[in-house]
Amino acid sequence: EPLDTIDTSIKDPDELKRNESIQLFLNRSSKINREFDKDIDDLILINKICNELEGIPLGIELAASRSDLLNIEEIYEGIKSNNYQNLEDYSHDKHKKHHSLYAVVNWSFNLLTEIEKELFIQLAIYKTSFTADLAKKIVILENTTYSLN
């Protein structure tokens, strides 16, 4: 179920910090990036990110997980630019939230290395969780020293 989002015209830091979508983003990003700056400009961009993702918790968590590699503006631009990319391929899907979620997953996938993408694709056969031991049994990586340990 989507979390509440607030209007992107809101500039009051206290009001922004009280929003549950923004709180989720801040919580997840602070666990990854201890030096994460939460100034008003970042809060405004985080609000825009949460609105682009329509408050979808998984999308917000995936976006926040990139705060160790990208600044908030880069995260926002990455989501915004991917949000409208390839939508014609999904025109049968009338729900915009599916486009938003697809965009953030697609964007995150495209940030992976080629080996990580190969691993991701091979492990996608599992519908539920799996152990590292099970993953080691099915992953086949050619010409690489990449380790699943």
Side-chain angles (χ1 to χ4, degrees), residues 3-21:
L3 301 174
D4 288 334
T5 57
I6 57 174
D7 191 272
T8 55
S9 66
I10 303 294
K11 308 286 187 241
D12 176 47
D14 293 328
E15 189 173 350
L16 290 168
K17 287 179 185 177
R18 283 192 300 270
N19 177 263
E20 62 183 348
S21 292

Side-chain angles (χ1 to χ4, degrees), residues 9 45 67 78 82 87 96 98 100 102-104 111 119 132 136 138:
S9 66
L45 281 173
S67 66
N82 277 304
L87 290 186
K96 186 179 178 224
H98 294 161
S100 299
Y102 169 79
V104 78
L111 292 174
L119 285 168
K136 289 176 191 176
I138 68 119

Side-chain angles (χ1 to χ4, degrees), residues 29-46:
S29 60
S30 67
K31 289 181 179 181
I32 295 166
N33 184 355
R34 298 267 181 229
E35 298 177 20
F36 180 65
D37 188 18
K38 299 172 196 146
D39 66 16
I40 185 62
D41 293 330
D42 283 346
L43 288 171
I44 290 169
L45 281 173
I46 292 168

Side-chain angles (χ1 to χ4, degrees), residues 11 18 31 35 42 44 47 49-50 57 59-60 65 72 76 79-80 83 87-88 91 93-94 98 117 130 132:
K11 308 286 187 241
R18 283 192 300 270
K31 289 181 179 181
E35 298 177 20
D42 283 346
I44 290 169
N47 187 31
I49 290 168
C50 293
I60 294 169
S65 74
I72 299 301
Y76 173 67
I79 291 169
K80 188 175 180 196
N83 221 1
L87 290 186
E88 63 277 1
S91 59
D93 183 357
K94 302 295 184 206
H98 294 161
K117 287 178 184 177
F130 52 86

Side-chain angles (χ1 to χ4, degrees), residues 84-95:
Y84 305 104
Q85 181 180 345
N86 299 325
L87 290 186
E88 63 277 1
D89 296 339
Y90 294 88
S91 59
H92 64 278
D93 183 357
K94 302 295 184 206
H95 299 288

